[in-house]
Each structure stands twice: as structure tokens, then as C-alpha cells.
Amino acid sequence: MIGHAPDSPEQEHIDEIQAAAARVERTLLMIPGPTAIAPEVLAAGARPVLSHNDPLMRSFVAESLARLRGLFDAPSSQPIICAGSGTLAMEIGLANLIEPGDRVLILESGVFAGRFRTIADRNRAEVRVESAPLGRSIDLDQVKRAIETFRPKVVTITHVDTSTGVRLDVQPLARLARERDALVVVDGVCSIGGEEFHGDAWGVDVAFTASQKAIGAPPGLAMITVGPRARAARENRRTEFPGYFTDFKNWLPVMEGYEAGTPAYFGTPAVTLLTMLHTALDEVVADPMSVRVARHAWIAAAFKAGIAALGIQNVAAADCNANTLTVALTPEGVGDELVDAVRVEGVTLANAIHPELRGRSFRVGHMGVCGPAEILTTLGAIERALHRLGQRVQFGASLAAAQGILAEPPARVHSRPTPAGLPPIRA
Ligand code: PMP
């Protein structure tokens, strides 16, 4: 809480809001994962449990694998789907490639790079971290110098970091890594399905996501694409791989089996979640990637314009502001109680997770099943919440700004600049 003495009337009001928020049962879920899911996906989860060898289940998995290959635009890769969250995907994706003493260069644009670091440390790799300033993209010359001097075996990139809303430009970063024969691992947990992604063309060796973000399925499935160079790195290890559930070699043949019509078994698949994923992917692949990305960009531009009209500042700079979420600073004098107050208005947002943004920012997911209705409802709820918290609000200002963008066709909005991010960071 910011700026209120414990017993002040303002504090009492905030306490009331927090108590009311705890009582709200049905809300519009607008956090950056898990995201709301479509009724068809929900209904798919109500199907009786199938055998993982049932012909229907086999076809669901085989089709989902093929669709993921398309979604990651990585025809040369073998996708893996297994039960677990994005963090498991990170561990499977990175750990297979590294042996003790191998060098891993981690490009940091927010807190999720820290997980790559821990995974690399625990596999006894030598780690170097190159960081972007808060809310900014990483400097290409800085990365080039680090690759030249450190000569990493693996470079990790967080495509969209969910703690800052920063989207890194994967293509030039991957190119720099490839020029020096490094393997490229991309965390696409908060990007795949909502941002442009071309795994093979960009030279990505491993990419991954999780079911609960832009794909629009419930949490619980990790999805990883493994390219030929990544596979060779696992095959050619000098030392035994200490992982078991995380071993590429246990998963790749099972996934290939599903696609070849000869399913094998390693760990009971999460059949109900797989059924829901299959239905969610129906919608994800219904349009070409460019159309889906344009829709996300359109929604993001409308939301970001809406909050800018309230004088609320984005954390990510305009040139690296993600389509999938917004991380924004709370107005002066308002802290984490904003999220509670918005919840009372019927919408669930998330507080900051970045240590430098805690208590002074909030996060909104606008990916997957999210359209104009959700954006306008959320902006309206933010306006009322700010009013409740004593801020001066011109009702409708954010909605009008968003409407101005929503009234344009998505394709035209695609390349339009988003509002400016944080002012230049002090040294
Ligand atoms: N990477 C990114 C970019 C994420 O946003 C998240 C989750 N918010 C993770 C990794 C970890 O995923 P999970 O919480 O599903 O383990």
C-alpha cells in the first residue's frame, strides 16, 4: 500500500475494497495467464476420460503436434507435449542441451530470465547474463560483444517477458547466436499464439510455451519444439543426462509415435487437458498466423491507448511493447490496492512480479480469447476503481481512446506505434 497512514480514512476505504474483492466470485479473468478459455474448450473438458491409446485420443495428439509445428513455424522440429507448466518446458528445453562447464548466455529482459539462470546453474553450466534496461529491448551490439567474448554453447531469449511486457526481437538475436554456432533457446510462454514467430526461419533450436496463455487452454500442459541441432546436442552428450522426466530421449519417440500412428508410452498423458488443448488449437490455427497476430496487435493497441488516455504509463517502450500483455505503472499515490479495487468492479488483473515494479504497477493479459468486449469492460472497471480510490477520472476517456482504435480494421492498426514506455532509465 502506498502513502496512507494505517488508520487513515483512506486506509479504511482500501481495507473495505480488499474485503469486498475477496467476496467477488465471478470475474472477468484478465491476467497474463491463466487466461479465460472459450466455452467449447471448457465443454471439451467435460468429455469422459479417454484411454491415451484410444483412436480418438491418438488423433487429438497427432493433430495437436502437427498444429504446434505450424504455430511455432518450425517444420524441421519435433514438438513435445507433456503435463507440466511453462517452467517444466524451460527445464526440458534448456537442460538437455548443457553439460557441466558448457557456457550459457542468458539475455535478460525481466524476471523470467532468472529461471533460465537457475536451470543452467543447477546443470553446472558457466553462466553469463546480459541485461536490458527495465522496459527496454536489449542492445544488439552488447549481445554481439558478449557472444564474441564468451562464446556460449547456448543463448537463451525470453520472447515476451511477463514481468515487464517487453518483447525482444528474436530474429536478429538468434542470428548473432547462430553466426557463432550457438544453440538458440526461446521462451515463448507469453508470446506463442499472440506474437509473430518463425522458429525455422529465425534459426531457433528449441522453443516452448504453456497451455494457459495465448493458446487459450487451461494450465497444465508444456509444449516444446526440438529442432535437429538441439536433438544432436542431446545425442552427442559426453556426460549422462541427469534428468529422467525431462529427457528429450524419453519424449521424442513417444511424440513421433503418435504422429506415425504407433503410439508408445512414457508417463500417462494428461488426456483431459489434451482434449481441451486440441479444441483450443482449432481456434488458434483457424486463421493464418499473420491474421491472429494482427488481431492481438489491434486489441493490445486499443488497450494501451485506453490506459494512456487515463495518464497511466506503460513500462515497455513503444518499440518493444508486447501484444499479449500490458505492464503499466499505477498513478501517483495508488499501489497494489488498484488490482483489488478493479476486482470489485468485476475484472481480475495481476500485480507486479518484477522487484523494481512491485507496489507501483499492474499487469493485464490480453491474449487468447480476448476481444473488444473484454478490453472495454476492463478499461471501464479500471476507471471506476481509480475513482473509488480517490483519483480524478474523466469517465469514458479510456473507452473513447480504445474505441478509436477498435473502430479501425485490425490490419491497419498492426504497425501503428503504441504509447511511449518508461522515461529513460537513470544510470
Ligand atoms: N516464462 C514466461 C515468460 C512466463 O510468463 C512464465 C509464466 N508466467 C513462465 C516462463 C513460467 O511458466 P509457468 O508459470 O507456467 O511455470
Side-chain angles (χ1 to χ4, degrees):
M1 223 134 309
I2 287 183
H4 299 302
D7 300 323
S8 66
E10 289 86 354
Q11 182 59 57
E12 251 174 55
H13 185 52
I14 288 167
D15 290 346
E16 258 172 41
I17 285 174
Q18 284 169 337
R23 288 192 298 271
V24 174
E25 280 182 20
R26 289 173 69 91
T27 75
L28 178 63
L29 186 62
M30 293 293 290
I31 65 174
T35 56
I37 61 175
E40 308 81 77
V41 176
L42 202 56
R47 194 186 257 284
V49 170
L50 288 172
S51 160
H52 54 288
N53 278 322
D54 190 281
L56 196 56
M57 195 68 220
R58 290 188 200 178
S59 72
F60 284 166
V61 177
E63 275 173 26
S64 296
L65 290 167
R67 287 166 173 183
L68 289 175
R69 200 177 278 110
L71 185 63
F72 285 72
D73 199 7
S76 76
S77 74
Q78 176 57 53
I80 294 171
I81 313 174
C82 68
S85 76
T87 308
L88 177 72
M90 295 183 86
E91 184 149 4
I92 294 177
L94 179 57
N96 277 275
L97 311 183
I98 49 177
E99 301 187 52
D102 281 347
R103 293 182 171 174
V104 179
L105 176 66
I106 292 169
L107 306 183
E108 180 190 46
S109 51
V111 302
F112 286 98
R115 296 190 175 197
F116 273 137
R117 182 184 194 136
T118 307
I119 293 163
D121 281 342
R122 293 206 178 174
N123 285 273
R124 294 191 283 130
E126 193 185 327
V127 175
R128 175 160 165 176
V129 178
E130 288 294 327
S131 302
L134 182 62
R136 304 278 149 148
S137 193
I138 195 155
D139 180 58
L140 280 181
D141 288 332
Q142 174 191 350
V143 174
K144 190 171 168 51
R145 277 194 305 276
I147 291 174
E148 296 296 337
T149 53
F150 188 57
R151 299 304 296 265
K153 177 178 179 187
V154 179
V155 175
T156 72
I157 302 167
T158 309
H159 192 190
V160 170
D161 194 291
T162 323
S163 68
T164 55
V166 167
R167 179 185 55 225
L168 293 181
D169 196 352
V170 173
Q171 187 173 23
L173 295 168
R175 191 183 306 128
L176 290 175
R178 281 281 188 131
E179 276 166 10
R180 288 297 183 183
D181 288 329
L183 293 161
V184 177
V185 174
V186 178
D187 175 344
V189 171
C190 198
S191 68
I192 305 273
E195 304 280 1
E196 198 80 29
F197 197 84
H198 302 289
D200 275 8
W202 290 353
V204 174
D205 296 293
V206 168
F208 52 82
T209 190
S211 46
Q212 78 273 19
K213 302 235 182 196
I215 287 179
L221 292 175
M223 288 156 265
I224 306 120
T225 54
V226 182
R229 295 198 324 153
R231 206 169 173 140
R234 170 66 190 92
E235 290 295 336
N236 301 331
R237 286 178 72 97
R238 301 176 305 275
T239 57
E240 197 183 357
F241 180 51
Y244 179 54
F245 189 80
T246 50
D247 193 345
F248 279 172
K249 284 183 122 175
N250 284 328
W251 287 111
L252 290 170
V254 174
M255 298 298 139
E256 284 163 340
Y258 269 113
E259 289 197 84
T262 53
Y265 155 82
F266 172 68
T268 305
V271 287
T272 302
L273 288 175
L274 285 166
T275 307
M276 296 174 90
L277 175 73
H278 181 257
T279 305
L281 286 171
D282 274 343
E283 201 250 300
V284 172
V285 300
D287 294 317
M289 188 194 299
S290 58
V291 172
R292 186 168 173 87
V293 172
R295 182 172 68 74
H296 276 78
W298 176 63
I299 290 297
F303 184 74
K304 289 171 204 275
I307 58 164
L310 296 174
I312 292 177
Q313 174 139 41
N314 268 259
V315 167
D319 63 353
C320 61
N321 206 339
N323 287 335
T324 47
L325 86 160
T326 294
V327 182
L329 298 184
T330 49
E332 199 63 36
V334 179
D336 283 346
E337 64 275 15
L338 176 62
V339 166
D340 292 328
V342 174
R343 193 158 180 276
V344 174
E345 303 301 331
V347 180
T348 300
L349 309 181
N351 276 320
I353 47 169
H354 193 290
E356 285 184 49
L357 296 170
R358 272 200 202 117
R360 64 183 189 107
S361 93
F362 63 103
R363 299 179 304 137
V364 182
H366 31 73
M367 59 187 126
V369 190
C370 176
E374 287 78 7
I375 291 301
L376 295 173
T377 302
T378 303
L379 289 169
I382 292 174
E383 287 191 357
R384 295 192 303 282
L386 287 171
H387 169 73
R388 259 176 190 277
L389 292 170
Q391 298 284 308
R392 193 170 312 148
V393 176
Q394 195 198 329
F395 284 127
S398 69
L399 293 122
Q403 293 280 46
I405 289 182
L406 292 171
E408 287 181 42
R412 212 180 303 154
V413 174
H414 194 16
S415 55
R416 182 196 187 99
T418 56
L422 290 178
I425 316 293
R426 44 295 143 200

